[in-house]
Amino acid sequence: MKIVVLDGFALNPGDLSWDALNALGDVTIYDRTPKEDVLKRAEDADIIFTNKTLLKAPQLEALPKLKYIGVLATGYNIVDTEFAKAKGIVVTNVPTYGTKSVAQFVFAHLLEICHHVAEHAESVRQEKWNRNEDFSYWSQPLIELDGKVMGIIGTGRIGVETAKIACAFGMKVIAYAPRPNFDLEGEIFKYESLENLFKTSDVISLHCPLTDETRGMLNQEAFDQMKEGVIIINTSRGPLIDEEALLVALKSGKVYAAGLDVLAKEPPKEYNPLYAQTNCNITPHIAWAPRAARQRLLMSAVENLKSFLDGNPINQVNS
Ligand code: NAI
């Protein structure tokens, strides 16, 4: 059984073990695979694992031995699943592995905006405290979250987990989803219309998938409806936000600050004018990446393959 991992580095840069996968066949792992090398590297493969390397119709057509594609992520738009189905190739994903990590990271961004921990710690390293007349100083406004309104867009796994943490901070949590799941409503959050959520939230956090409907949902028109000084957190997908409109809103103060783990283009390739905004913190898509979450992802991918080999595929996305 020949197994090829096309781009294993992002999942396992060296701090996890591939042993569980190695036990299932003859495994070759590439850190990354350029588009032009996919066919050469995968020509003998029965099984392919991919994280972000595209496997569309032309590649699938040219890989007659291929029986199974394991996507090392939740999103699987990198694979032409319908074409794979027509060729009898099973495609699986890992639907959940990082819910807690991503929800935690929302608050890493939010608390940085509220307290500027890194900036204050750096000022102490520079001995500004030693020179200070008083026992305390701060270089930025400090914000308490208790009593503030948290608006959650998307009430799936991560949105609900984020709502729970916000609630523990004493925030009043409201949420929007096009098809509300009223069973979830209760002490943690209450559903609102998107319009009301825009109007009343002090913090807005995005937790919906990227679709035709959600692309650019935070645009000029949306920012116009929001409270002066709203905080925006996006750990979901970059294109949910119109970055030009966000830049204008950050400059005017309409948006007090933004914490973004995702951008419209990743990696960005070019300079992004948002980098110049000191009220905009951008991280390189790392919410999913604590070791514990990656370990879970890797083991789920192995379990997916075992189940397929046993004749009962799980987490198949093209059945
Ligand atoms: P999920 O599938 O459990 O929930 C998504 C929710 O989005 C649905 O429950 C629905 O309520 C909502 N939704 C769908 N269409 C909507 C619309 N038009 N407007 C508002 N809400 C809508 O997904 P999960 O696991 O909660 O993940 C949420 C997103 O987080 C993913 O789509 C992904 O983009 C992102 N993500 C980011 C990671 C990172 O490392 N930054 C890691 C993992 C996920």
Side-chain angles (χ1 to χ4, degrees):
M1 180 72 55
K2 182 135 179 53
I3 302 172
V4 173
V5 180
L6 288 173
D7 50 359
F9 189 84
L11 169 61
N12 180 10
D15 58 351
L16 302 178
S17 166
W18 292 106
D19 284 356
L21 184 62
N22 286 330
L24 298 181
D26 167 16
V27 182
T28 308
I29 299 162
Y30 296 98
D31 281 350
R32 301 165 193 88
T33 296
K35 203 161 79 184
E36 58 278 15
D37 292 343
V38 169
L39 297 185
K40 193 171 52 176
R41 290 182 173 182
E43 62 185 350
D44 293 333
D46 304 285
I47 312 287
I48 292 180
F49 282 97
T50 174
N51 189 332
K52 296 288 175 281
T53 305
L54 297 185
L55 291 171
K56 299 289 187 181
Q59 288 86 22
L60 299 180
E61 190 67 87
L63 296 169
K65 283 190 70 186
L66 188 61
K67 299 174 189 66
Y68 176 94
I69 298 170
V71 179
L72 296 168
T74 305
Y76 48 85
N77 53 317
I78 49 152
V79 179
D80 187 334
T81 49
E82 283 310 306
F83 194 85
K85 185 177 172 183
K87 303 277 300 176
I89 301 166
V90 169
V91 183
T92 65
N93 76 336
V94 180
T96 171
Y97 63 92
T99 302
K100 303 251 178 189
S101 290
V102 179
Q104 178 182 313
F105 199 66
V106 169
F107 289 86
H109 265 291
L110 184 53
L111 292 175
E112 174 57 23
I113 290 166
C114 292
H115 300 288
H116 300 270
V117 171
E119 181 179 318
H120 287 106
E122 182 56 25
S123 77
V124 171
R125 228 172 259 124
Q126 302 297 326
E127 299 191 24
K128 187 174 171 191
W129 200 6
N130 302 25
R131 298 186 295 274
N132 204 57
E133 280 188 89
D134 304 308
F135 79 99
S136 171
Y137 65 89
W138 50 94
S139 47
Q140 301 273 356
L142 303 172
I143 300 170
E144 185 176 79
L145 291 174
D146 183 62
K148 297 245 182 303
V149 178
M150 174 71 138
I152 305 255
I153 300 185
T155 53
R157 287 174 289 255
I158 298 171
V160 170
E161 197 60 36
T162 302
K164 287 184 196 162
I165 302 173
C167 202
F169 274 104
M171 300 181 82
K172 180 185 168 210
V173 187
I174 56 173
Y176 165 77
R179 279 167 296 284
N181 179 352
F182 289 108
D183 291 344
L184 294 171
E185 236 187 4
E187 283 177 22
I188 306 287
F189 70 84
K190 198 173 150 319
Y191 280 110
E192 284 282 358
S193 67
L194 189 58
E195 197 188 352
N196 277 350
L197 184 144
F198 285 157
K199 262 194 219 153
T200 55
S201 297
D202 299 298
V203 181
I204 294 178
S205 191
L206 295 174
H207 299 290
C208 52
L210 177 63
T211 62
D212 289 344
E213 200 189 337
T214 60
R215 185 179 294 275
M217 76 187 305
L218 296 199
N219 54 18
Q220 184 64 57
E221 203 188 328
F223 290 125
D224 286 347
Q225 294 174 59
M226 292 177 198
K227 264 190 177 175
E228 195 70 22
V230 64
I231 293 171
I232 303 290
I233 307 291
N234 187 9
T235 56
S236 205
R237 286 291 177 263
L240 298 177
I241 298 185
D242 175 339
E243 289 178 2
E244 283 180 25
L246 176 63
L247 182 64
V248 172
L250 283 162
K251 282 187 168 160
S252 72
K254 177 79 185 187
V255 171
Y256 173 74
L260 312 176
D261 188 46
V262 285
L263 285 178
K265 283 222 167 61
E266 298 179 359
K269 304 281 186 220
E270 291 173 358
Y271 178 79
N272 186 320
L274 288 170
Y275 299 165
Q277 286 302 124
T278 54
N279 57 349
C280 183
N281 296 325
I282 304 172
T283 47
H285 203 144
I286 57 171
W288 69 286
R291 187 177 181 280
R294 287 183 291 106
Q295 174 76 57
R296 219 174 287 125
L297 199 170
L298 178 52
M299 294 321 290
S300 299
V302 169
E303 285 308 313
N304 283 350
L305 177 56
K306 274 189 192 162
S307 301
F308 167 73
L309 296 175
D310 289 346
N312 302 305
I314 53 169
N315 295 324
Q316 184 172 356
V317 293
N318 67 338
S319 51

